[in-house]
Amino acid sequence: LTAAEQAAFDAVVADDGRIEPRDAMPEGYRRTLVRQIAQHAHSEIIGMQPEGNWITRAPSLRRKAILYAKVQDEAGHGLYLYSAAETLGADRADLLDALHAGKQKYSTIFNYPTLTWADTMAIGWLVDGAAIMNQVPLSRCSYGPYARAMTRVCKEESFHQRQGFEGMLTLVRGTEAQRRMAQDALDRFWWPSLMMFGPPDDASPNSAQSMAWGIKRFSNDELRQKFVDVTAPQADFLGLRVPDPELRWNDERGHYDFGTPDWDEFMRVVKGDGPCNRQRLEARRRAHDEGAWVREAAAAHAARRSAVARA
Ligand code: FAQ
């Protein structure tokens, strides 16, 4: 970057403006965005698996249609995000290769199994809830295409969160066995949901620079606190117990106090050793291989159309 280009970039960021694909940008900024957007895209498509697991077993036609639509939405978010990464010069095929080779990450949350129907509802409530908390600020991120992609993604995630909460409400108002199933899902998904926000601030190597560049607007711990503040009263409303003996409202702070997630477990899952890491990557690689003919057919069709257009 020339000094003038760096000054122009700094001015846009300082002024809370948007950096666009053709603007000059520091190489580190571009790399950080490709890393984060790719991880985000990978999370969306791997995130189809835990809930997709229940499409054939949904308890009613209505629930099945809703779940189908939700899982398709996640695929759409993945496509949006891969496109956003491409505006930075990344190649979608390379990003997928890096995912399949285990070189790029996706969110730890999707390495936990969905053992019951209540788990799919808990994912809507908690996982989409956490995703919105993290992504609404990203719609003000300094990189234009990523920020704009978040507008629609967040609208859809909000709908997902509400359907999950409504599904939990239906379960807690059902039979005792259904209520227990809902409690069990909360017990298993609460702590992994808190881990979605990333490591604690003092162990988050990327945060300071990403905040300075206007990519992140809040720190990992700030967003985790906001999530707990919003979600704890929702659990009360459902009549469910959050599995954290330290959770209590702190009048002085105006926030809930809460316990510490098991960061050793988090690191194990990040490094590939969670309950479903192998199974998720294996299913993803298989889907990619089995979809090869679709990509070839789409490319052949596009080539023919452009040949016809030229003729
Ligand atoms: N899982 O220095 P930081 C969804 C990595 S929502 C795995 O704090 P950063 C919707 C991190 O990448 C889920 N890895 O990093 C949905 C970094 O690794 P690296 C996806 C994690 O980037 C709902 C290292 O640890 N949402 O899919 C995790 O500043 C329902 C150090 O961490 C997004 O991706 C984790 N939980 O902050 C779909 C949102 N946390 O590359 C289906 C966009 C951290 O340096 C169903 N991403 N790491 O080796 C972000 O906002 C940020 O990337 C953070 C992490 C906040 C996740």
Side-chain angles (χ1 to χ4, degrees):
L1 231 55
T2 65
E5 284 169 340
Q6 179 72 50
F9 172 87
D10 291 342
V12 172
V13 171
D15 197 35
D16 206 6
R18 294 287 169 271
I19 304 294
E20 296 298 338
R22 286 190 181 80
D23 295 341
M25 60 185 88
E27 181 51 23
Y29 178 81
R30 198 191 67 82
R31 248 198 340 263
T32 294
L33 279 166
V34 170
R35 174 186 66 80
Q36 178 168 326
I37 297 172
Q39 283 178 8
H40 194 166
H42 300 332
S43 303
E44 299 282 358
I45 63 169
I46 296 266
M48 296 168 74
Q49 293 184 37
E51 288 167 286
N53 183 31
W54 279 89
I55 289 174
T56 54
R57 291 174 288 167
S60 70
L61 185 60
R62 177 172 164 268
R63 291 287 175 197
K64 187 178 180 118
I66 294 169
L67 191 59
Y68 239 131
K70 178 189 191 292
V71 171
Q72 282 182 347
D73 284 352
E74 310 300 356
H77 299 172
L79 295 181
Y80 256 44
L81 287 160
Y82 286 119
S83 299
E86 285 183 322
T87 66
L88 290 155
D91 183 326
R92 183 181 306 218
D94 293 343
L95 299 179
L96 284 169
D97 285 348
L99 168 67
H100 299 152
K103 287 189 189 139
Q104 279 179 355
K105 299 185 169 80
Y106 59 88
S107 184
T108 45
I109 189 72
F110 302 116
N111 292 309
Y112 292 85
T114 41
L115 304 176
T116 69
W117 171 254
D119 289 359
T120 62
M121 297 295 101
I123 287 180
W125 171 37
L126 299 172
V127 176
D128 284 275
I132 301 166
M133 202 53 92
N134 163 275
Q135 287 168 192
V136 166
L138 287 175
S139 65
R140 293 189 292 110
C141 126
S142 59
Y143 188 59
Y146 192 26
R148 288 189 291 275
M150 285 303 111
T151 309
R152 174 168 176 173
V153 169
C154 287
K155 282 185 187 163
E156 293 181 349
E157 306 280 38
S158 302
F159 169 70
H160 298 166
Q161 195 272 348
R162 294 176 76 98
Q163 70 86 34
F165 186 77
E166 192 263 346
M168 291 296 278
L169 198 55
T170 305
L171 289 172
V172 299
R173 287 178 178 168
T175 63
E176 179 52 24
Q178 286 173 312
R179 201 202 61 77
R180 275 205 308 274
M181 201 197 291
Q183 178 64 57
D184 174 58
L186 173 58
D187 288 346
R188 284 180 293 104
F189 275 91
W190 175 257
W191 291 108
S193 299
L194 295 194
M195 294 174 191
M196 287 176 69
F197 296 95
D201 291 351
D202 57 14
S204 165
N206 300 300
S207 276
Q209 183 60 73
S210 287
M211 304 245 323
W213 274 329
I215 297 171
K216 282 174 126 167
R217 298 294 182 174
F218 296 96
S219 77
N220 298 359
D221 287 332
E222 283 169 339
L223 290 174
R224 196 167 6 251
Q225 177 74 62
K226 277 173 184 269
F227 175 75
V228 172
D229 289 348
V230 166
T231 312
Q234 294 175 352
D236 288 342
F237 185 85
L238 291 169
L240 297 177
R241 187 187 42 80
V242 172
D244 178 357
E246 293 176 50
L247 181 78
R248 71 181 58 81
W249 177 254
N250 182 328
D251 232 352
E252 244 163 68
R253 291 202 311 126
H255 291 290
Y256 280 87
D257 291 336
F258 59 101
T260 308
D262 181 344
W263 293 118
D264 292 337
E265 173 183 324
F266 171 75
M267 284 318 298
R268 276 198 305 279
V269 183
V270 167
K271 292 198 175 118
D273 202 17
C276 299
N277 292 59
R278 287 167 196 84
Q279 179 186 331
R280 299 294 185 236
L281 265 189
E282 168 66 31
R284 175 91 269 292
R285 289 194 201 103
R286 197 171 55 240
H288 190 71
D289 291 346
E290 288 174 358
W293 71 272
V294 179
R295 290 189 298 279
E296 279 161 26
H301 179 66
R304 224 180 102 170
R305 272 179 60 143
S306 68
V308 169
R310 271 199 308 275

